[in-house]
């Protein structure tokens, strides 16, 4: 891709995604919807000014690595543990039910192969952490018990989604997975998830020591980007998606990070806060590129807008909703809390889009099915927060988190 084409492409992507993202935010819609819409407008669906290519795909992948890093910095495994069995029940239900409902439809009505139908169903299992938590925070409900269940279940869903993606990605590349190979891959992934954050934490202490001797400006941004790239490469070398490395790097910086040696090594809150803030501008610039690229990859002209296809799309959207809404039933308390948790689990967001994009790149998901899948993800990402806001009017006082 010539440099002049790349420059004008980035100009159009950053400008239009910002404008539409701001517009969606003013309407109370998720910003990601505006960013996808920017890609649809610029891509072959409408204007045809931009088309998928490897250079933009690489920039988009870097953007999603940084986004998963940002999510990791806000994740607490300890909070997931303390939320209790409700979190596990909600998380398992939120994975199994959407995968089963939508996978069956994809197999029988979309006529996909069993593996492609499984991949399709898995793409609709993950819950977007950022979208729902932003709605809960704006309503002043982030410290309520139901919000803690949502956070824990969303974290579990995203981790399970990344593990599923790794397994399916490996299967698609190798053609089959022998039991020993499957066991090795699972052990490798779990080992990476367990060992990478403590290793990253140790590196943070070394980086903090070195920062006292740094003479140049921008030390935090440079070392943090180097840190993220290293962990993304390690994840890829372990057979996992590179974005898992970004997530693990974020866990190492998490404010809620705990380990057995915390009594000997005091949490470097001030330094990790500097590192996190140093990466925010780069994340804000590059993360939208991924969502715009998803929109660019769409070609709505391949959809046949007839009655049967529209009904099928509506059916999949309803099933995608139902799978997450039913996941809220294990929550203890009034029905309002159950529906609140279910609605908060509805938005798919970034992990679902990663699934869809990789499925298309590996030619598991056909182009016309990919377009419909992204539409389902976009619709759930938009309507989920709107339903959640309806259940959380300002001034509502919910049950406090048990102490």
């Amino acid at each position: 891709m010539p440099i002049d084409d790349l420059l004008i492409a980035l100009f159009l992507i950053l400008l239009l995604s910002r404008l539409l993202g701001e517009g969606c935010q003013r309407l109370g819609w998720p910003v990601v919807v505006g960013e996808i819409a920017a890609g649809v407008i610029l891509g072959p669906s409408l204007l045809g000014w931009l088309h998928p290519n490897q250079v933009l795909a690489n920039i988009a992948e870097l953007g999603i690595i940084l986004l998963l890093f940002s999510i990791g910095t806000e994740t607490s495994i300890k909070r997931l543990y303390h939320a209790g069995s409700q979190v596990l029940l909600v998380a398992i239900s939120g994975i199994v039910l959407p995968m089963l409902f939508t996978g069956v439809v994809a197999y029988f009505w979309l006529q996909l192969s069993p593996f492609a139908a499984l991949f399709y169903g898995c793409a609709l299992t993950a819950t977007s952490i950022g979208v729902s938590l932003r709605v809960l925070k704006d309503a002043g409900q982030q410290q309520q018990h139901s919000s803690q269940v949502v956070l824990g279940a969303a974290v579990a869903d995203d981790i399970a989604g990344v593990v599923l993606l790794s397994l399916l990605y490996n299967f698609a590349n190798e053609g089959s997975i022998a039991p020993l190979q499957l066991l090795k891959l699972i052990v490798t992934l779990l080992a990476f998830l367990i060992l990478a954050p403590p290793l990253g934490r140790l590196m943070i202490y070394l980086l903090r020591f070195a920062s006292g001797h740094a003479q140049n400006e921008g030390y935090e941004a440079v070392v943090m980007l180097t840190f993220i790239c290293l962990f993304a490469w390690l994840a890829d070398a372990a057979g996992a998606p590179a974005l898992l490395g970004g997530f693990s790097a974020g866990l190492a910086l998490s404010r809620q990070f705990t380990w057995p040696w915390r009594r000997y090594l005091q949490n470097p809150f001030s330094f990790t806060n500097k590192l996190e803030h140093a990466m925010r501008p780069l994340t804000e610039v590059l993360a939208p590129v991924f969502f715009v690229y998803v929109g660019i990859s769409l070609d709505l002209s391949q959809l046949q807008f007839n009655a049967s296809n529209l009904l099928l799309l509506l059916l999949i959207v309803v099933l995608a909703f139902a799978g997450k809404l039913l996941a809220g039933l294990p929550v203890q308390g009034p029905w309002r809390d159950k529906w609140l948790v279910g609605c908060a689990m509805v938005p798919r967001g970034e992990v679902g889009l990663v699934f869809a994009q990789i499925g298309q790149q590996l030619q598991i998901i056909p182009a016309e099915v990919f377009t419909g899948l992204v539409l389902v993800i976009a619709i759930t990402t938009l309507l989920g927060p709107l339903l959640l806001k309806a259940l959380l009017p300002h001034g509502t006082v919910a049950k406090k988190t048990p102490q």
Side-chain angles (χ1 to χ4, degrees):
M1 187 178 188
I3 185 62
D4 56 337
D5 290 344
L6 176 60
L7 293 175
I8 193 62
L10 290 177
F11 167 77
L12 293 171
I13 288 172
L14 297 176
L15 176 63
L16 193 57
S17 65
R18 186 68 180 186
L19 291 175
L20 295 184
E22 289 283 349
C24 285
Q25 191 171 34
R26 292 177 183 274
L27 292 173
W29 297 352
V31 174
V32 65
V33 175
E35 293 166 351
I36 295 174
V40 172
I41 294 172
L42 295 173
S45 296
L46 289 179
L47 298 179
W49 291 352
L50 300 178
H51 296 272
N53 62 76
Q54 192 58 49
V55 175
L56 288 180
N58 290 339
I59 297 175
E61 185 169 2
L62 178 58
I64 199 63
I65 289 172
L66 294 178
L67 179 60
L68 266 291
F69 161 78
S70 177
I71 292 174
T73 61
E74 300 172 358
T75 299
S76 171
I77 302 301
K78 182 179 180 180
R79 184 177 295 176
L80 174 64
Y81 174 79
H82 284 295
S85 59
Q86 292 183 64
V87 167
L88 295 179
L89 291 174
V90 172
I92 293 172
S93 300
I95 293 171
V96 174
L97 294 179
M99 181 170 57
L100 179 63
F101 293 167
T102 59
V104 168
V105 172
Y107 178 73
F108 285 103
W109 280 275
L110 294 179
Q111 298 181 342
L112 298 179
S113 67
F115 177 71
L118 175 63
F119 199 98
Y120 188 99
C122 288
L124 295 172
T125 60
T127 297
S128 175
I129 299 175
V131 172
S132 292
L133 290 185
R134 175 63 181 274
V135 176
L136 293 170
K137 182 178 180 181
D138 290 344
Q141 302 293 311
Q142 68 271 24
Q143 298 301 323
Q144 309 306 325
H145 177 60
S146 55
S147 298
Q148 301 301 305
V149 174
V150 170
L151 176 60
V155 169
D157 272 10
D158 274 359
I159 292 176
V162 170
V163 172
L164 283 172
L165 179 59
S166 300
L167 294 175
L168 296 175
Y169 182 85
N170 186 272
F171 181 87
N173 284 329
E174 302 295 333
S176 63
I177 294 183
L180 290 178
Q181 184 181 5
L182 175 60
L183 179 61
K184 179 182 177 181
L185 179 59
I186 293 176
V187 170
T188 302
L189 290 175
L190 292 177
F192 182 85
L193 282 170
I194 294 172
L195 298 177
L199 174 62
R201 196 66 167 191
L202 288 175
M203 293 179 64
I204 294 298
Y205 286 102
L206 295 176
L207 293 174
R208 184 180 65 169
F209 174 78
S211 66
H213 304 278
Q215 300 293 326
N216 59 328
E217 295 183 0
Y219 172 82
E220 290 83 3
V222 172
V223 299
M224 200 65 251
L225 184 58
T226 305
F227 181 75
I228 295 171
C229 290
L230 172 62
F231 274 72
W233 177 82
L234 289 174
D236 184 74
L243 59 90
L244 181 59
F247 181 73
S248 299
L251 286 177
L253 263 72
S254 175
R255 302 177 190 90
Q256 295 86 20
F257 184 90
T258 58
W259 60 349
W261 300 282
R262 62 182 181 274
R263 66 176 63 182
Y264 306 110
L265 294 173
Q266 186 178 6
N267 282 328
F269 290 124
S270 59
F271 183 65
T272 56
N273 190 53
K274 286 182 180 179
L275 295 177
E276 184 181 347
H277 279 276
M279 289 307 301
R280 283 183 182 176
L282 189 59
T283 302
E284 291 293 331
V285 170
L286 291 181
V289 176
F290 171 80
F291 298 108
V292 176
Y293 188 77
V294 170
I296 293 173
S297 300
L298 287 174
D299 189 352
L300 297 179
S301 63
Q302 296 183 8
L303 284 178
Q304 298 179 2
F305 290 99
N306 52 49
S308 60
N309 285 341
L310 290 177
L311 287 175
L312 182 58
L313 179 63
L314 177 61
L315 173 63
I316 296 175
V317 170
V318 170
L319 292 176
F321 260 90
K324 292 295 188 180
L325 287 174
L326 293 175
L329 294 180
V331 176
Q332 298 175 2
W335 279 97
R336 176 183 166 277
D337 285 355
K338 297 178 186 291
W339 296 128
L340 187 150
V341 171
C343 288
M345 297 289 289
V346 165
R348 276 16 183 231
E350 55 280 346
V351 178
L353 293 174
V354 172
F355 253 103
Q357 186 67 30
I358 291 179
Q360 188 200 42
Q361 290 177 355
L362 297 177
Q363 298 182 345
I364 300 171
I365 304 296
E368 63 277 5
V369 176
F370 168 79
T371 301
L373 176 58
V374 173
L375 283 177
V376 173
I377 294 172
I379 291 171
T380 58
T381 303
L382 170 62
L383 296 184
L386 297 180
L387 290 176
L388 185 59
K389 281 189 175 183
L391 291 171
L392 279 176
H394 291 287
T396 298
V397 178
K399 183 181 179 182
K400 289 288 184 180
T401 305
Q403 299 297 324

